[in-house]
Amino acid sequence: MAESPASRAATPGRRRLRTRIIVSFALLGFGLTALFAVAMLHLRNRLENQLIEKTLQREVASLVHQVETQPDKQPYFLMFDARTFSDDNAFKINPLYRDLKPGMHEVRERDATGVMQVYKVAVRRGMSQQGKPFNSLVRYNVTDAAATSDLLTRWLLGAVLAFSVFALLLGWWSASKVMAPVSDLAQRLRRSGNSAEPEALAASFPDDEVGELAKALDDYAERLTEVVQRDREFNADVSHELRTPLAVIRGAVELLLTRPELDERTRTRLARIQRAEQQCTDLISALLLLSRNERAVGQCNVAKVAQQQ
């Protein structure tokens, strides 16, 4: 069974073209801004980590070299919060840093005011001239960098939201501009379908895709009108050509039945001819009604119809 346009339009899961355009623009805007935000965060974190780790590695390497070559001099360094301790005096070091393995670490520690601070810590193992191992660490406060990263994240999320809303509005505006000619064409076609004479559609639209569609609809309406006109002319000719001889037969039978000298057998045969003529007339009328897609108005006696068959 064919699916009607109304049922197709009401089928869940189907979207109008206007909605698809708006959703496409919104998804495009969200996807591009989200990809941009992720790329920016990744690039910023990567560059920041590379810079901090490279600086800390350089400072801790310099500190180890100073202790190994000049143990009697006070070490100098460019970074604050540097420590060098051996296994004997490791108890003097904060437990957060005492057991750190050589390499890069991230340590969170509260300062004197109770504010959480984030540090990048570089640890390296060295050997003194007396043959005693020692540990050197350089600590760098990255709390501000972490706060900056959080602020950047919030700004990027805001940018993603703003660009998504902008893309949604742009999609809505674009869909309205794109779908306006299509909606106009649908309204004109609907008005044309309710009138006896179809309206020319192509003259109201520019020479674009919608104009091409309007031209195709005009051509189709013209061909359909020609077909309907030929059908009407054919039905009129058929009605005339078939009903004329039946009318002649009906008139001749009625005239013969008025003669009093006819015997009963002849009258029976004439009555049979009259019923056959009436059945043919009814059958032709029904076929013409069906061919015109018309519906007869009135009442029908089903028992009488059954008796005539």
Side-chain angles (χ1 to χ4, degrees), residues 4-128:
S4 64
S7 63
R8 287 198 299 267
T11 301
R14 293 181 181 270
R15 295 179 178 175
R16 299 175 59 186
L17 180 59
R18 178 191 182 98
T19 304
R20 292 199 296 268
I21 294 176
I22 295 175
V23 172
S24 298
F25 270 90
L27 292 178
L28 177 62
F30 175 78
L32 290 178
T33 51
L35 182 62
F36 171 76
V38 172
M40 288 297 296
L41 284 176
H42 177 72
L43 181 61
R44 181 190 181 279
N45 292 333
R46 183 176 180 180
L47 293 177
E48 180 184 83
N49 288 332
Q50 288 181 351
L51 177 62
I52 294 175
E53 291 177 4
K54 184 177 180 180
T55 303
L56 290 176
Q57 290 287 358
R58 184 175 65 250
E59 291 296 331
V60 74
S62 174
L63 184 59
V64 168
H65 178 71
Q66 293 176 45
V67 173
E68 289 178 345
T69 57
Q70 300 175 348
D72 299 333
K73 294 184 178 182
Q74 181 67 28
Y76 61 91
F77 43 85
L78 300 177
M79 310 293 294
F80 293 102
D81 296 335
R83 298 286 188 275
T84 297
F85 58 93
S86 63
D87 296 339
D88 296 334
N89 58 3
F91 64 91
K92 299 179 181 180
I93 303 300
N94 190 326
L96 291 175
Y97 306 97
R98 183 185 306 163
D99 299 326
L100 294 179
K101 302 298 181 181
M104 297 298 305
H105 305 274
E106 181 176 303
V107 179
R108 296 179 179 270
E109 180 183 4
R110 295 188 180 275
D111 58 10
T113 61
V115 178
M116 182 65 70
Q117 302 292 324
V118 182
Y119 297 96
K120 285 282 188 178
V121 181
V123 180
R124 179 168 292 187
R125 188 86 168 164
M127 188 68 66
S128 67

Side-chain angles (χ1 to χ4, degrees), residues 83-294:
R83 298 286 188 275
T84 297
F85 58 93
S86 63
D87 296 339
D88 296 334
N89 58 3
F91 64 91
K92 299 179 181 180
I93 303 300
N94 190 326
L96 291 175
Y97 306 97
R98 183 185 306 163
D99 299 326
L100 294 179
K101 302 298 181 181
M104 297 298 305
H105 305 274
E106 181 176 303
V107 179
R108 296 179 179 270
E109 180 183 4
R110 295 188 180 275
D111 58 10
T113 61
V115 178
M116 182 65 70
Q117 302 292 324
V118 182
Y119 297 96
K120 285 282 188 178
V121 181
V123 180
R124 179 168 292 187
R125 188 86 168 164
M127 188 68 66
S128 67
Q129 291 182 347
Q130 289 78 22
K132 292 183 177 181
F134 65 91
N135 293 328
S136 293
L137 64 87
V138 176
R139 187 179 67 173
Y140 180 70
N141 193 331
V142 295
T143 305
D144 293 337
T148 302
S149 179
D150 293 339
L151 180 62
L152 178 62
T153 302
R154 289 194 294 271
W155 274 98
L156 287 175
L157 290 177
V160 170
L161 180 61
F163 273 99
S164 299
V165 173
F166 174 74
L168 182 63
L169 295 177
L170 180 62
W172 178 82
W173 179 82
S174 300
S176 300
K177 298 294 289 184
V178 170
M179 296 305 299
V182 179
S183 300
D184 187 19
L185 177 61
Q187 293 177 1
R188 291 177 180 272
L189 188 61
R190 192 176 297 111
R191 290 197 303 267
S192 178
N194 294 330
S195 61
E197 293 294 331
E199 177 185 356
L201 303 175
S204 303
F205 297 94
D207 189 14
D208 55 6
E209 289 80 2
V210 180
E212 292 293 330
L213 179 59
K215 290 180 182 178
L217 290 174
D218 285 342
D219 295 339
Y220 178 75
E222 184 178 356
R223 293 195 302 269
L224 188 60
T225 302
E226 293 177 355
V227 170
V228 172
Q229 184 63 29
R230 288 197 300 267
D231 183 67
R232 289 177 179 175
E233 294 175 355
F234 174 77
N235 290 336
D237 293 340
V238 169
S239 176
H240 175 73
E241 296 297 332
L242 292 179
R243 285 178 176 176
T244 299
L246 291 176
V248 173
I249 295 173
R250 182 173 60 253
V253 171
E254 291 176 353
L255 182 61
L256 291 174
L257 289 174
T258 58
R259 293 183 177 182
E261 67 273 11
L262 293 177
D263 56 11
E264 189 63 26
R265 184 175 181 182
T266 302
R267 287 183 179 276
T268 302
R269 291 180 178 177
L270 289 175
R272 185 180 300 174
I273 294 174
Q274 190 177 37
R275 288 196 302 270
E277 179 274 330
Q278 185 61 42
Q279 290 178 356
C280 289
T281 302
D282 294 340
L283 180 60
I284 292 173
S285 299
L287 291 176
L288 290 176
L289 287 174
L290 291 175
S291 66
R292 295 170 184 170
N293 196 21
E294 297 177 355

